[in-house]
Structures are given as structure tokens and as C-alpha cells.
Amino acid sequence: MLNLERLRTLDALARHGSVSGAAEGLHVTTSAVSQQLSKLEREVGQQLVARNGRGVRLTDAGELLASHAARILSQVELAQAEIEAQRGQVVGEVRVAGFPTAARGLFPHAVTSLRTLHPDLRVRSSELEPEDGIRAVLRGDVDLAVVLDWSNKRLPVPGGLVQAALLDDAADVALPVTHPLAGRAETGLEDFADDEWVSWPEGEFCYEWLVFTLRSQGIEPRIAHFAGEHHTQLALIQAGLGVCVTPRLGRGHVPDGVVLVPVRQQMRRHIYAVWRADADRRPSVRAAVEALREAGRAVGEPATRA
């Protein structure tokens, strides 16, 4: 009889590609992962993991069993979802992830609401960038992720996921109070053709959106500084080191010396939740989605896209 937790460990190793990654995904130690894999090898009577330089790789038998493990665990999750749905109670644990401004702007309200309405539900939250959040949902590391795309650039969402719109989030341009356009009631992106920009880190979805958007306006972006946190970006603007796009959700305090100007192009983020279709009937997931929707209604504009 194969042990479910050991199959889960093998599945985590296959998904993460390393013992340390599997340990992090399962929230256990690396020695616990190694012990579970050794016990699983004794159970099946075959070597499942082999040394590969400083790391490890799955053997042919390991690959074969890992593919079965993924299907078994998916079926177990579906069974758990149907049992929860039949019982109709919001209990157990739900794991949610969101990009930083969503975590700051939505999670406090949503998690507080869930604790009040469903005291037997445990909520664990974490920060993940949109693409990482989608991967975590697909791997089963989290139950639900809050992600975003922009009105002029969609985020690819793989099949097998369910989506629910939460809110639309407008964005402005932040510039130093000494900037020639600081007194404008509204401006256009083309007005910043000669400015240096502060951007999200290269490779992130929002960085790619910024470059795409500026180039669509005939501007070759001059990006001088990179920062993942909006507060860091605003500090750089306060120092007179450029301009940046700053969304309104989770913005918080705007430093003295920084002016926010709306843009005619109406830069807008669509914020939504994604979860696996095989977890769609879980009352805990449904409750978390509704709490996030309520939080979105409290802080943002109504969502314009399902």
C-alpha cells in the first residue's frame, strides 16, 4: 500500500526539481523530505532518486511513479472538495497568495472577515508575484492566488483554472513636485518621453507591461532604477530620480515632495482570483473568493471583466 504523504513528497520533488524546493513547498525540513523518499523507495522496491551533481534527479521509476502521484493527489483533492461541498461547512485550511499590493490592500480585510464569519477555517496567506502565484496554484502549493493583468496586456492563465474578478485598479504617474508637469490636472504618457523611469524589476509581468505601453505610445523607455516595492519607487521619485506608474490599491501614504497625476490613457489593472477547477466546489475556497470580492468592493472600482 503506497503512503499518500510519501507520494506527496515525491510529487513535490518532481514539481520543484530539488530536495530544498520540495521541503520549502511542503513546509518541512530537507531531512524530512529525504526520509520520506527513502521510505517510499523501500515500499516500492526500486530506486526513485539518483544523485545529479550537487542535486538529485528522478530515475525512470521515479518519473513513472511521480506521474501517477500527481493524478492520485488531484483525485484526492477532488474527493476532499466533494466531501466538503456535501457537508457544506467552511472548515479546514485555505492557503491564499497575492502580489504585494493585493496582499497589503485586500488581505487584511478579507482574512479578518473570514475569521469572523468562519471561525473554524484556518487562513494562511503569502506574497507571490502574479506568474509565481499561478504556478503555485497549479502545483497545489496554494489553494487560491490573487493575480493581475492590465487593460492593454493580458496575463496568460493556463487551462484548468477558474477565475473570479475582484476589482479594477486605476494607476497614476508619480513625479517629483519640482517636475514641470507636477501642476497638471491630467497628462499623457507621451509627455514623459524625455524622462527617466523607475520600474518594477526586469522579467516581472508589470515591467513587461510598462515597456510595452510606453513603446505603444512611441516612447523608448529610459529605465534608470528598478524596485519591486511601490514605497521604494516613491522614495526614488521623492529624491527626484525619475517618474513611475503607481497603482492605487495598497498605495498607502504618498511621501512629501511626490505628486500623483492621472493619465489620459486610463492605465488600469484588472485584479482577479484564480484557483484549480478540481477545488471549485470547496466551501473554503468559495468563502475566500467572496471575502476577497467584499474587500475589493470596499477599496476599489467594480470589476469590468469576469
Side-chain angles (χ1 to χ4, degrees):
M1 181 69 69
L2 294 172
N3 179 281
L4 189 62
E5 287 308 308
R6 289 166 198 156
L7 289 178
R8 198 180 304 278
T9 302
L10 180 66
D11 177 66
L13 179 65
R15 289 186 284 105
H16 292 280
S18 67
V19 171
S20 59
E24 184 177 352
L26 294 170
H27 304 283
V28 298
T29 63
T30 54
S31 61
V33 169
S34 298
Q35 289 171 14
Q36 290 284 62
L37 292 172
S38 296
K39 289 178 181 178
L40 185 59
E41 286 182 328
R42 288 197 294 271
E43 285 180 352
V44 300
Q46 292 195 61
Q47 183 181 6
L48 302 175
V49 179
R51 288 284 179 187
N52 185 28
R54 294 185 176 181
V56 297
R57 62 171 178 83
L58 293 178
T59 63
D60 289 344
E63 294 278 4
L64 177 63
L65 186 56
S67 67
H68 284 289
R71 291 193 294 273
I72 291 168
L73 293 171
S74 178
Q75 196 64 34
V76 168
E77 184 171 346
L78 181 60
Q80 290 174 332
E82 292 186 352
I83 290 290
E84 281 188 32
Q86 186 179 54
R87 186 169 52 182
Q89 296 177 339
V90 182
V91 296
E93 180 180 84
V94 64
R95 301 160 298 168
V96 298
F99 57 94
T101 51
R104 185 164 60 246
L106 296 178
F107 284 7
H109 184 120
V111 174
T112 300
S113 175
L114 286 169
R115 283 187 171 182
T116 301
L117 295 174
H118 309 290
D120 293 326
L121 178 67
R122 297 185 305 276
V123 184
R124 286 172 46 191
S125 67
S126 58
E127 284 188 3
L128 286 175
E129 292 297 332
E131 291 170 312
D132 294 331
I134 286 177
R135 284 192 288 267
V137 171
L138 290 170
R139 292 195 305 261
D141 295 340
V142 300
D143 300 303
L144 181 151
V146 178
V147 301
L148 68 91
D149 55 29
W150 292 83
S151 54
N152 61 338
K153 188 173 179 64
R154 299 294 296 267
L155 176 71
V157 176
L161 298 184
V162 181
Q163 302 180 36
L166 302 179
L167 73 151
D168 284 352
D169 182 34
D172 307 303
V173 172
L175 50 155
V177 70
T178 55
H179 194 284
L181 301 177
R184 295 274 190 94
E186 185 181 71
T187 187
L189 286 175
E190 67 277 3
D191 297 328
F192 299 101
D194 296 326
D195 283 278
E196 291 188 333
W197 286 83
V198 177
S199 167
W200 296 270
E202 288 184 87
E204 288 190 7
F205 179 73
C206 286
Y207 163 83
E208 294 173 356
W209 165 82
L210 178 63
V211 171
F212 170 81
T213 300
L214 292 176
R215 285 176 176 165
S216 71
Q217 299 297 315
I219 303 169
E220 184 57 34
R222 299 169 55 207
I223 299 176
H225 307 285
F226 299 89
E229 261 291 335
H230 288 143
H231 292 308
T232 304
Q233 294 180 5
L234 291 177
L236 293 167
I237 305 307
Q238 184 184 33
L241 298 176
V243 301
C244 74
V245 172
T246 178
R248 296 175 186 176
L249 176 66
R251 179 186 287 165
H253 174 71
V254 177
D256 293 337
V258 175
V259 175
L260 303 176
V261 179
V263 177
R264 287 189 293 274
Q265 285 84 355
Q266 291 191 332
M267 299 178 295
R268 198 172 299 272
R269 303 191 299 180
H270 302 300
I271 297 171
Y272 51 101
V274 296
W275 63 97
R276 286 165 57 129
D278 55 16
D280 191 42
R281 296 185 63 201
R282 286 179 57 191
S284 57
V285 170
R286 285 291 176 182
V289 172
E290 184 52 40
L292 287 164
R293 279 177 166 155
E294 178 190 340
R297 289 191 291 268
V299 302
E301 302 177 21
T304 58
R305 194 169 69 210

